[in-house]
Amino acid sequence: MGHMPIPSAVPSRAELIDHLVRTRIAGDVATPRENNLSHYRKLANGDRHYWLGLELGDRWTDEQDVLAVMAERCGVVDDPQHRSGQDTIDPELTIGALDRMASVLRKAAEANERVLFATGHPGGLLEVHRATAAALRAAGCEIVEIPGGLQADEGYVFQFCDVAMLERGATLWHTHSPAPMAAILDGLAHEGRPLPDLVVADHGWAGCAGQRGIDAVGYADCNDPALFLGESEGTLSVVVPLDDHVTNPRFYDAMTAYLLDAAGLTAQF
């Protein structure tokens, strides 16, 4: 898998579907069914770690309702009796969401919006966000510079390659927490600076922004149902279903190229 050829040009829709399935970004993904159902159950039982910064109240207390949304928006197996083994992400849904995200990015570029990028998955999605930020900057958008000295979750919130992340112990941290995004938004308000017009993120970074009323788009895996529930309720504008940490982060390059081309942006790889 690590030596799989990666398309160098903008792929067609059919080529991207083939690429997503071959690299397991979509199709038969690595996340097992047992893990997915466990997360759906914990969300439904009110475990806020799985809410990713959203306030879901008592609207999603039935695990089967969560599964139904995930089948519709992510493409997991919709049979509630399928309790173990392989689960799936529908590549058609991935590309459909990429097309919707492209429309949001195109509008942001046309309006020269202030855009904030952040990731809780630096090992997988950092380059996706960096390339998108560079393309929007080249198109005239302001990429929001976060305040300095921010702390959250026993770490520091900082910006690298225009992307906000959590750093702890000199390591970029994988986090689902909404606290780092809350620190950024509170920090901007404290400095009297305007909030972003758009947030492009994942995990709790996206959920927190959407919950605060900021236009937010992002990426989510099939074991992170909260953002898809937020999309279904209109709290987030677009959520792209994908495996958010495949074996080689370069596998996402074809997807990023497709996204930026669909948005009318020039890739800045």
Side-chain angles (χ1 to χ4, degrees):
M1 182 71 74
H3 300 288
M4 185 172 294
I6 301 170
S8 57
V10 176
S12 67
R13 185 183 183 96
E15 288 169 339
L16 183 56
I17 287 176
D18 178 68
H19 175 76
L20 294 175
V21 171
R22 285 189 297 110
T23 57
R24 300 185 74 182
I25 294 172
D28 290 342
V29 293
T31 308
R33 178 69 166 190
E34 297 93 324
N35 185 262
N36 284 345
L37 294 182
S38 172
H39 287 199
Y40 303 170
R41 185 178 312 113
K42 289 174 181 177
L43 179 148
N45 288 339
D47 187 335
R48 298 181 72 86
H49 173 77
Y50 297 92
W51 288 15
L52 302 183
L54 295 169
E55 293 299 330
L56 302 178
D58 59 0
R59 300 185 300 279
W60 298 99
T61 57
D62 188 333
E63 177 187 347
Q64 301 309 317
D65 291 341
V66 179
L67 174 60
V69 170
M70 293 303 293
E72 176 190 13
R73 294 180 178 269
C74 189
V76 301
V77 177
D78 62 0
D79 180 4
Q81 300 308 312
H82 178 55
R83 309 300 298 178
S84 63
Q86 182 66 56
D87 213 338
T88 57
I89 293 175
D90 186 342
E92 292 281 359
L93 293 176
T94 302
I95 293 182
L98 287 170
D99 288 338
R100 298 196 305 276
M101 183 183 283
S103 296
V104 174
L105 298 179
R106 181 187 293 272
K107 291 176 183 176
E110 292 171 349
N112 297 129
E113 290 184 349
R114 297 182 304 278
V115 187
L116 173 63
F117 288 83
T119 186
H121 236 303
L125 298 178
L126 172 56
E127 178 61 14
V128 176
H129 290 302
R130 183 214 63 80
T132 309
L136 283 178
R137 182 188 291 279
C141 286
E142 174 190 344
I143 305 305
V144 175
E145 180 179 337
I146 71 170
L150 298 179
Q151 298 184 43
D153 295 332
E154 301 179 344
Y156 291 90
V157 186
F158 80 113
Q159 206 163 22
F160 178 68
C161 295
D162 284 332
V163 185
M165 289 166 283
L166 182 67
E167 183 267 346
R168 191 187 299 167
T171 300
L172 302 182
W173 208 254
H174 171 221
T175 177
H176 291 73
S177 173
M181 178 58 77
I184 293 174
L185 300 179
D186 292 344
L188 290 171
H190 180 74
E191 293 183 354
R193 294 168 55 196
L195 295 178
D197 300 308
L198 174 67
V199 166
V200 183
D202 47 70
H203 284 180
W205 305 79
C208 176
Q211 186 62 46
R212 293 204 181 189
I214 298 171
D215 192 14
V217 299
Y219 304 91
D221 208 328
C222 55
N223 64 352
D224 291 328
L227 296 189
F228 295 101
L229 301 182
E231 182 188 34
S232 75
E233 294 187 329
T235 311
L236 285 94
S237 296
V238 182
V239 180
V240 178
L242 46 65
D243 186 317
D244 54 17
H245 199 132
V246 293
T247 56
N248 183 348
R250 294 255 67 102
F251 289 163
Y252 297 108
D253 286 357
M255 180 192 79
T256 308
Y258 177 93
L259 171 68
L260 297 181
D261 181 72
L265 300 170
T266 302
Q268 306 290 311
F269 287 111

